């Protein structure tokens, strides 16, 4: 018989000894579990909703405490390791260990991408760090927020401050302006009054998907998320695989300098939504998952409202379109990484094959389109392929939405013929900003590197920039002037890649970090940098690591006087061959 000093035998026991009364690891608390259950309400506890549930806790408490994470793991029947690895992957979550200090109630994020750096974000950052009480407000660097036309940009809570100054930011803090302002936009009634959704109804009533695909192909539309795959061929690939099929919409335009998707969604969201539903009809998608970046809180609110309006109008069944909120990870712009994120996991790119058209979301054949692509699909179906194919310049057909920022007079989205040159783009943006002389430009985000002003006659379109060691990507054009340093711009780009590498593959994870260190030297070692670039381009799993060498190679080639490259391998042409 046991006396009072002998502890009772444990139930978790596999050998001799008293055993444990509980499993190993952190135990959940009843109070924390009750709080998590109250936040989740009647929402499903499915594994793919993990990121959505983490957002609920982060929004409610301003961080993810260890007790709440453990309670969420218990409620979703997941291991603590699974929850922790996801929470720590995304920049917009603040997971805490048991004894970690709780972050301040308010966070100010300052964009440090190239357009904002040119506009003075470093000085803004320094002034804010000096001027706030760190116990009440924290100031963090953040990658591109998709508002490059109003640089520099800061975010107070979830409220953006455009053309930010220390005074404007502090006014927002004092006023409690921590929520997004939803702009005026065309709602469902206005869109339907102009004929919206009539084509969708016609197609659902007996349309021929193959004929619609041919119409899209005749327009010349290519994927506008950056890859440029012919949009008129995707539907057939997906339909060639047995159902059930799904559709995923990539709204994670995280490439610094890109803001065209936000531009369209904040004005005409239903043009995009109709294009999305037409594409979903074409592949007989059982459900649509719309993945939108967390940096666009106003767009997320617009989409919540208008998806609910479509359900209320009977245009879609309740739950047919699921809106998923990203959590701050550039890599999730890669389609397979986005699919992993929709499934509630870390956004790690998948090895291919199989391709997502074969084995995509939840293992099903999946159609993936970009937001702007779907915007144009709706217009093509409503107005005919000529809406794009009738435009021609420099031997190229179609239209491009150029996101233009940097040293121009009128930054913004400028829709121009696809064969436009940088000279045309700058002219559309009102010319160079006063007092600035054109020096260089980034044709398609940091992945495209820098080209000199001397290459001002190259059409900015798919396939035209590859001979110069770069590409158009998402048409994120950043213009530099004689007052800017190509060397500093290239370092800004590599620091972005270093921060945003998912870490899955060594060439990218270590290569970006090593490149940043080498690029901070007074004189660049051209030979060593080229070796590093070649290893990254050859061995990285996805486009991030494969494209990260472009800023290095093009700076060595076109701006050697700024980097003082040491003797070694001569500059590369961007394809691993030397010039």
């Amino acid at each position: 018989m046991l006396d009072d000093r002998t502890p009772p035998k444990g139930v978790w026991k596999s050998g001799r000894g008293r055993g444990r009364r509980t499993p190993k690891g952190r135990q959940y608390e009843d109070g924390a579990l009750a709080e998590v259950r109250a936040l989740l309400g009647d929402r499903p506890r499915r594994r793919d909703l993990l990121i959505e549930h983490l957002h609920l806790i982060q929004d409610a408490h301003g961080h993810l405490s260890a007790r709440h994470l453990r309670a969420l793991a218990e409620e979703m029947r997941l291991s603590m390791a699974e929850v922790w690895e996801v929470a720590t992957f995304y920049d917009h979550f603040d997971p805490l260990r048991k004894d970690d200090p709780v972050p301040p109630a308010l966070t100010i994020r300052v964009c440090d991408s190239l357009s904002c750096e040119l506009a003075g974000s470093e000085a803004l950052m320094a002034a804010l760090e000096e001027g706030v009480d760190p116990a009440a407000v924290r100031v963090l660097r953040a990658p591109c927020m998709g508002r490059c036309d109003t640089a520099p940009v800061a975010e107070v809570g979830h409220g953006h401050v455009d053309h930010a100054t220390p005074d404007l930011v502090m006014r927002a803090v004092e006023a409690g302006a921590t929520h997004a302002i939803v702009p005026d936009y065309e709602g469902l009634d206005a869109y339907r009054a102009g004929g919206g959704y009539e084509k969708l109804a016609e197609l659902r009533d007996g349309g021929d998907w193959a004929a619609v695909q041919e119409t899209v192909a005749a327009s010349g539309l290519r994927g506008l998320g950056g890859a440029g795959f012919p949009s008129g061929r995707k539907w057939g690939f997906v339909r060639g695989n047995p159902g059930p099929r799904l559709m995923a919409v990539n709204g994670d335009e995280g490439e610094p300098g890109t803001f065209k998707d936000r531009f369209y969604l904040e004005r005409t969201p239903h043009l995009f939504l109709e294009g999305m539903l037409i594409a979903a009809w074409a592949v007989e998608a059982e459900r649509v998952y719309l993945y939108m970046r967390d940096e666009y809180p106003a767009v997320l609110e617009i989409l919540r409202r208008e998806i609910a309006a479509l359900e209320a109008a009977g245009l879609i069944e309740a739950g047919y379109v699921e809106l998923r909120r990203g959590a701050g990870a550039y890599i999730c712009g890669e389609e397979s990484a986005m699919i992993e994120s929709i499934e509630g996991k870390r956004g790690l790119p998948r090895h291919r094959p199989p391709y997502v058209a074969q084995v995509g979301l939840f293992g099903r054949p999946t159609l993936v389109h970009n937001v702007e692509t779907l915007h144009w699909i709706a217009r093509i179906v409503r107005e005919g392929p000529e809406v794009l194919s009738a435009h021609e310049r420099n031997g190229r057909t179609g239209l491009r939405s150029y996101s233009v920022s940097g040293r121009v007079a009128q930054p913004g989205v400028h829709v121009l013929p696809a064969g436009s040159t940088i000279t045309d783009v700058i002219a559309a943006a009102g010319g160079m900003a006063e007092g600035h002389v054109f020096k260089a430009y980034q044709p398609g985000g940091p992945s495209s590197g820098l080209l000199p002003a001397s290459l001002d006659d190259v059409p900015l379109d798919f396939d035209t920039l590859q001979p110069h060691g770069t590409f158009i990507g998402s048409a994120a054009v950043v213009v530099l002037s004689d007052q800017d340093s190509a060397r500093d711009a290239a370092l800004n780009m590599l620091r972005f890649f270093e921060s945003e590498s998912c870490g899955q593959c060594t060439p990218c994870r270590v290569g970006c970090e090593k490149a940043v260190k080498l690029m901070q030297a007074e004189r660049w070692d051209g030979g060593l940098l080229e070796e590093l670039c070649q290893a990254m381009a050859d061995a990285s799993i996805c486009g991030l690591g494969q494209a990260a060498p472009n800023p290095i190679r093009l700076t060595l080639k076109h701006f050697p006087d700024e980097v003082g490259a040491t003797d070694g391998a001569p500059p590369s042409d961007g394809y691993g061959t030397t010039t």
Side-chain angles (χ1 to χ4, degrees):
M1 183 173 181
L2 300 176
D3 62 29
D4 292 339
R5 295 171 297 175
T6 306
K9 178 183 279 192
V11 294
W12 297 92
K13 176 177 169 65
S14 60
R16 291 180 294 179
R18 291 195 299 269
R20 300 174 56 87
R21 291 190 60 81
T22 60
K24 288 184 178 181
R26 176 179 294 277
Q27 305 306 303
Y28 72 85
E29 302 172 15
D30 290 339
L33 185 61
E35 292 167 4
V36 166
R37 284 175 173 170
L39 283 173
L40 269 55
D42 60 358
R43 295 175 176 83
R45 271 55 168 173
R46 300 195 316 264
R47 173 66 173 81
D48 62 290
L49 292 173
L50 174 58
I51 293 173
E52 296 296 310
H53 295 344
L54 289 171
H55 273 304
L56 290 173
I57 300 172
Q58 177 77 32
D59 290 345
H61 299 280
H63 61 278
L64 301 172
S65 67
R67 58 194 294 271
H68 284 137
L69 289 173
R70 179 63 186 89
L72 180 63
E74 178 68 21
E75 183 66 8
M76 296 187 70
R77 298 296 187 263
L78 298 173
S79 70
M80 183 64 177
E82 288 178 276
V83 175
W84 182 259
E85 73 174 6
V86 172
T88 54
F89 183 85
Y90 296 93
D91 286 343
H92 291 188
F93 294 140
D94 291 299
L96 306 181
R97 294 179 174 83
K98 180 179 179 181
D99 298 321
D100 286 347
V102 174
L106 182 62
T107 297
I108 299 173
R109 289 182 166 87
V110 179
C111 178
D112 66 356
S113 292
L114 183 56
S115 297
C116 283
E117 184 176 283
L118 296 177
S121 62
E122 289 298 322
L124 174 64
M125 182 89 182
L128 291 174
E129 288 177 330
E130 182 70 24
V132 303
D133 177 4
V137 180
R138 63 174 175 170
V139 181
L140 301 177
R141 292 178 177 273
C144 186
M145 299 177 186
R147 308 182 75 86
C148 318
D149 51 333
T150 58
V153 175
E155 187 181 28
V156 179
H158 288 295
H160 288 101
V161 180
D162 296 326
H163 301 295
T165 64
D167 183 55
L168 287 175
V169 173
M170 294 314 298
R171 286 187 201 174
V173 171
E174 292 165 4
T178 59
H179 297 284
I181 298 174
V182 177
D184 292 332
Y185 64 91
E186 184 182 45
L188 178 59
D189 291 342
Y191 183 68
R192 296 187 78 176
Y197 293 107
E198 290 179 2
K199 279 293 183 182
L200 175 65
E202 290 178 18
L203 295 173
R204 286 176 169 176
D205 196 37
D208 181 355
W209 75 269
V212 178
Q213 181 176 245
E214 286 303 312
T215 300
V216 173
S219 74
L221 180 66
R222 294 174 64 170
L224 297 171
F229 189 84
S231 301
R233 295 168 57 190
K234 272 193 173 183
W235 299 350
F237 289 155
V238 176
R239 285 188 68 111
N241 294 285
R245 306 181 193 95
L246 299 172
M247 180 177 179
V249 179
N250 193 338
D252 197 69
E253 61 168 357
E255 189 78 14
T258 311
F259 48 93
K260 58 187 177 59
D261 291 356
R262 177 183 63 81
F263 175 85
Y264 288 119
L265 290 172
E266 288 184 346
R267 290 161 177 79
T268 56
H270 282 283
L271 199 57
F272 150 72
L273 288 169
E274 184 171 14
M276 177 187 76
L277 294 175
I278 289 171
W281 160 82
V283 299
E284 299 178 334
E286 286 199 348
R287 182 165 291 190
V288 178
Y289 292 84
L290 174 45
Y291 189 88
M292 183 54 55
R293 67 188 311 223
D294 197 33
E295 290 85 349
Y296 290 172
V299 169
L300 281 161
E301 179 58 29
I302 290 170
L303 291 173
R304 289 188 194 100
R305 295 178 185 178
E306 299 313 307
I307 290 170
L310 290 174
E311 293 176 348
L315 289 168
I316 57 173
E317 295 181 2
Y320 178 70
V321 177
E322 282 200 29
L323 180 61
R324 293 297 181 88
R325 178 180 167 191
Y330 165 73
I331 194 63
C332 290
E334 196 276 339
E335 63 178 7
S336 66
M338 175 192 67
I339 284 174
E340 290 285 300
S341 190
I342 293 173
E343 292 180 354
K345 305 171 187 174
R346 295 176 294 166
L348 301 180
R350 296 177 178 177
H351 292 272
R352 290 173 287 187
Y355 296 94
V356 298
Q358 303 164 298
V359 181
L361 193 54
F362 306 120
R364 298 179 179 181
T366 303
L367 174 67
V368 177
H369 273 314
N370 161 263
V371 167
E372 191 198 354
T373 304
L374 295 169
H375 169 96
W376 286 111
I377 284 175
R379 290 197 59 182
I380 291 164
V381 173
R382 291 181 62 175
E383 304 171 42
E386 298 79 15
V387 70
L388 289 182
S389 62
H391 299 272
E392 189 274 336
R393 183 169 177 80
N394 292 325
R396 312 296 298 179
T397 59
L399 295 171
R400 293 303 303 263
S401 304
Y402 296 98
S403 302
V404 188
S405 61
R407 306 300 193 179
V408 292
Q410 298 169 15
V413 173
H414 298 279
V415 181
L416 300 171
S420 299
T421 65
I422 188 62
T423 302
D424 300 322
V425 171
I426 292 174
M432 293 295 294
E434 186 176 356
H436 291 268
V437 178
F438 179 38
K439 172 183 176 177
Y441 65 105
Q442 183 177 274
S447 299
S448 67
L450 280 178
L451 293 178
S454 59
L455 290 176
D456 61 357
D457 58 348
V458 181
L460 302 184
D461 194 19
F462 295 117
D463 309 322
T464 59
L465 290 165
Q466 277 80 348
H468 301 282
T470 184
F471 51 86
I472 187 62
S474 58
V477 180
V478 181
V479 178
L480 277 65
S481 78
D482 57 335
Q483 299 181 28
D484 303 316
S485 163
R487 173 201 184 100
D488 291 347
L491 184 55
N492 178 285
M493 298 176 208
L494 263 295
R495 281 178 170 149
F496 170 77
F497 290 131
E498 178 189 26
S499 173
E500 294 299 322
S501 172
C502 74
Q504 179 181 190
C505 67
T506 303
C508 178
R509 181 185 68 248
V510 177
C512 290
E513 179 184 3
K514 182 66 173 178
V516 167
K517 291 178 180 177
L518 292 173
M519 293 167 72
Q520 293 180 73
E522 184 177 350
R523 294 170 60 85
W524 286 13
D525 186 328
L528 185 55
L529 279 166
E530 174 53 31
E531 287 184 30
L532 179 62
C533 289
Q534 195 65 54
M536 292 173 66
D538 288 346
S540 295
I541 289 173
C542 80
L544 191 157
Q546 294 162 11
N550 287 340
I552 303 171
R553 286 171 158 168
L554 291 176
T555 302
L556 283 167
K557 180 177 181 179
H558 296 296
F559 306 97
D561 55 315
E562 292 196 28
V563 298
T566 60
D567 292 339
S572 162
D573 64 359
Y575 290 94
T577 57
T578 55
T579 58

